[in-house]
Amino acid sequence: MPPETVENGVLELILSAGPVAKVVLGILVAFSVVSWALIVEKWWQFRRVRRQSLGFLKIYREGRREAAVHAAVKKYRESPLAQIYAAAYQEMGSLEEPPDDGEEAAIETAHRAMRRAAGHEVARLERYLPFLATTASAAPFIGLFGTVWGVMGAFHGIGQQGSASLAVVAPPIAEALIATAFGLGAAIPAVIAYNYYVNRVKHWAAEMDGFILDVLNALARAAAPGPRLRTGKDGL
């Protein structure tokens, strides 16, 4: 059968579907459209995160002056690593004097600030992912509901006409199966994208943990020679 004939037949079935089937198909189309929009948006977000994090790490690891690194934080706002560094910088800069129990307590304060920033960044990266998970889990069942409803209509037609011929059964069954196809069409991209982006979030969470340790090591080295931990411009 030519593709044009199949497409026209599917379109005719959709247009001739009952109100319940059209509502089901409309819901599935809405899920699919929003899911694809989120998939594209998250792809751009993670692309920006990677590019800006690499740029920030290059400046940080070159050992430039503190002012240059702090300026890079403002430039690379999409980088979780830059925001973690900013949290530590702000926390240490707010300490006019070290805590009563010494430099270790000041470093621990910076550690807590970086952990809070890391949690915020992970939440930002995970934003909208629950919708993809919802689409992946709910769309097949919504499509199945449309299928069951269509099969019920097919049996009702058989009962009214008193015949189970292919001409009587085929159209309503085909209409019912379209709902299943729409449900799978919405769910499959969503579940693939969800699993991929969850792995990307885990990757960046691990990167943030490693960067926090790097900053803590730098703070410890800076605190070791002197009698007190430097803060403000002479801090991180």
Side-chain angles (χ1 to χ4, degrees):
M1 184 180 294
E4 293 82 2
T5 304
V6 175
E7 292 176 1
N8 292 335
V10 172
L11 182 60
E12 289 177 3
L13 286 173
I14 294 174
L15 295 177
S16 62
V20 174
K22 287 182 178 179
V23 169
V24 170
L25 294 179
I27 293 173
L28 292 173
V29 169
F31 268 100
S32 183
V33 170
V34 175
S35 294
W36 275 107
L38 293 181
I39 289 170
V40 173
E41 194 277 334
K42 297 301 288 185
W43 184 83
W44 279 107
Q45 181 186 16
F46 280 101
R47 187 171 181 267
R48 292 193 303 269
V49 165
R50 181 179 182 275
R51 184 177 66 250
Q52 294 196 14
S53 294
L54 290 175
F56 174 76
L57 281 177
K58 181 179 179 181
I59 295 174
Y60 176 78
R61 288 172 177 170
E62 284 177 352
R64 298 183 182 180
R65 295 182 57 190
E66 175 62 30
V69 181
H70 187 60
V73 170
K74 298 180 180 179
K75 180 180 179 182
Y76 299 113
R77 295 182 181 276
E78 290 290 324
S79 170
L81 308 184
Q83 300 311 310
I84 289 173
Y85 183 89
Y89 182 94
Q90 182 177 2
E91 189 68 28
M92 299 304 297
S94 66
L95 296 178
E96 296 180 0
E97 294 293 337
D100 294 337
D101 45 355
E103 296 164 351
E104 291 184 1
I107 295 176
E108 181 61 29
T109 300
H111 187 193
R112 289 194 297 269
M114 288 189 288
R115 297 306 307 175
R116 287 195 300 270
H120 175 76
E121 291 302 311
V122 168
R124 182 172 67 88
L125 294 176
E126 289 178 339
R127 190 176 302 163
Y128 304 130
L129 292 185
F131 184 87
L132 294 179
T134 300
T135 300
S137 59
F141 291 101
I142 296 174
L144 182 61
F145 170 79
T147 300
V148 171
W149 189 270
V151 171
M152 290 169 57
F155 280 110
H156 180 69
I158 292 172
Q160 284 187 329
Q161 298 189 22
S163 172
S165 65
L166 187 62
V168 174
V169 177
I173 293 296
E175 175 185 317
L177 292 177
I178 287 176
T180 299
F182 271 62
L184 294 176
I188 291 173
V191 70
I192 293 173
Y194 175 78
N195 290 331
Y196 174 76
Y197 290 134
V198 165
N199 286 330
R200 298 310 300 164
V201 171
K202 291 179 180 178
H203 165 77
W204 283 109
E207 290 290 329
M208 285 184 265
D209 289 340
F211 183 72
I212 288 173
L213 293 178
D214 288 344
V215 174
L216 290 175
N217 290 336
L219 287 173
R221 287 193 300 268
R228 61 184 297 270
L229 183 65
R230 295 177 295 169
T231 60
K233 290 185 177 181
D234 298 327
L236 300 178

